């Protein structure tokens, strides 16, 4: 999604106010847990629904 919007992880961190390490973790393939408030913040900034952000396997 970041590539589609031509955004870097660092830019998203700045826009959301989240730590760059948090954004990096969210972008990894090994996300084991995340706070709902973090997801809400990312969705709000990117103006998307949670379903567009999360892929459940």
């Amino acid at each position: 999604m970041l590539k589609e919007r031509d955004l870097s992880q660092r830019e998203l961190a700045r826009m959301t106010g989240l730590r760059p390490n948090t954004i990096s973790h969210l972008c990894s393939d090994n996300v084991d847990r995340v706070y709902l408030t973090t997801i809400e913040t990312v969705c709000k900034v990117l103006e998307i629904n949670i379903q567009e952000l999360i892929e459940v396997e």
Side-chain angles (χ1 to χ4, degrees), residues 10-35:
R10 186 167 298 281
E11 289 172 308
L12 182 59
R14 182 184 50 76
M15 293 168 65
T16 59
L18 298 170
R19 295 181 350 190
N21 287 348
T22 300
I23 299 298
S24 178
H25 176 73
L26 291 175
C27 292
S28 74
D29 290 333
N30 298 320
V31 178
D32 55 351
R33 61 183 154 173
V34 64
Y35 292 108

